[in-house]
Amino acid sequence: MTEATRHTPGTPSWVSLMVHGLDATQTFYGELFGWEFSPGPLQLGPYVRALIEGKEVAGIGRLPADRHLPIAWTPYLATDDADRTVEVIRSCGGTVGVGPLDADDAGRLAVVTDPAGAVFGIWQMSAHSGTAVYGTHGTPVWNELLTAETSSVGKFYQAVFGYETEAVVSTTVDHVTLKLEGRPVASLHGVGHALPRDRGTHWMTYFEVEDTDEAAERVTELGGHVLKAPHKGTSGRLATVADPEGAVFTIVRSAGR
């Protein structure tokens, strides 16, 4: 288990999910990942932070009854100045859906959309630094943008966050690793026509698990769905699953663990 402190700007620093059934969703993830929960910022409405051994790992909130938005995990990228980053996002072709606004004394946030339509957040830390622990069951381990092709949207993220990029040189694979200070922090994956029409370009959050096959079975037992069965990948053994409200995520037993 590795504890995090300050996140370099551009690093995924938090993941959050907005749902209709907050209590049922807490039960699902509590059973799947062993999460416990504590109250979050009041400005965000009914909102809880998920904890592992008292350390914050993710957030779950309740959507207003009249809001029918896609149910999806949203990564938040760290920034030292949310207002300035929002200006850059707009100038680079992105749009701002929420904020910037303060979340109590925890920090300042905005929810935005990149030019290809993928939703993500930005987080300027104050009292709350973001995900506090990595590398154990139930912690977010990676974030990947799934898009038709990486070239144009990759330029957007480079311009906003100053990423270094490392592309796979291949005629059949369109994959770019985003790096900060030489360290991989996220990736872009161009999947062409395999991109789901009902979702479009979107971010995928990976959660670490002890056993991918057992966790996939548990997802089904808890009312979720397995969308892509456990299989071996370059990052380890992984499966794509969805919770009972349809939020899609990946579970992975990372290679080398």
Side-chain angles (χ1 to χ4, degrees):
M1 182 182 292
T2 302
E3 293 191 20
T5 52
R6 177 185 176 276
H7 297 272
T8 302
T11 305
S13 61
W14 187 243
V15 288
S16 189
L17 175 65
M18 301 299 290
V19 297
H20 297 291
L22 182 56
D23 291 343
T25 300
Q26 286 180 247
T27 298
F28 173 85
Y29 287 101
E31 293 287 340
L32 180 63
F33 291 144
W35 287 352
E36 297 178 335
F37 298 92
S38 65
L42 297 175
Q43 284 99 326
L44 303 180
Y47 189 87
V48 295
R49 290 174 179 157
L51 311 175
I52 291 179
E53 296 184 7
K55 304 292 185 181
E56 297 166 342
V57 295
I60 304 175
R62 179 183 295 139
L63 283 168
D66 59 344
R67 299 294 296 275
H68 299 285
L69 301 174
I71 308 298
W73 279 101
T74 301
Y76 282 71
L77 308 180
T79 177
D80 286 338
D81 187 333
D83 295 79
R84 174 59 183 154
T85 300
V86 159
E87 291 178 10
V88 176
I89 286 168
R90 284 197 178 104
S91 70
C92 292
T95 58
V96 179
V98 177
L101 57 84
D102 291 325
D104 290 348
D105 62 350
R108 191 161 174 80
L109 66 88
V111 179
V112 301
T113 304
D114 71 23
V119 176
F120 66 98
I122 56 173
W123 180 256
Q124 178 186 336
M125 66 166 284
S126 184
H128 174 60
S129 61
T131 300
V133 61
Y134 296 92
T136 189
H137 182 83
T139 60
V141 67
W142 193 249
N143 287 278
E144 181 171 78
L145 181 75
L146 298 174
T147 184
E149 57 85 24
T150 64
S151 177
S152 58
V153 74
K155 292 174 182 176
F156 166 82
Y157 286 98
Q158 276 185 281
V160 175
F161 296 106
Y163 295 122
E164 310 144 34
T165 60
E166 181 179 300
V168 174
V169 180
S170 169
T171 57
T172 58
V173 178
D174 182 9
H175 190 274
V176 176
T177 301
L178 303 178
K179 296 183 173 183
L180 290 169
E181 301 170 348
R183 181 174 63 91
V185 295
S187 55
L188 313 177
H189 189 187
V191 296
H193 295 299
L195 189 69
R197 289 187 178 183
D198 60 337
R199 299 194 68 198
T201 298
H202 63 279
W203 281 95
M204 174 76 77
T205 296
Y206 288 61
F207 291 95
E208 187 73 35
V209 292
E210 285 297 321
D211 186 308
T212 305
D213 297 75
E214 286 185 8
E217 289 182 11
R218 191 72 178 123
V219 166
T220 302
E221 292 170 0
L222 293 167
H225 304 279
V226 176
L227 306 179
K228 190 170 184 180
H231 60 282
K232 186 177 181 181
T234 56
S235 59
R237 187 163 179 78
L238 61 158
T240 305
V241 299
D243 70 18
E245 285 205 25
V248 178
F249 58 100
T250 295
I251 50 176
V252 60
R253 166 76 182 199
S254 295
R257 276 197 67 220

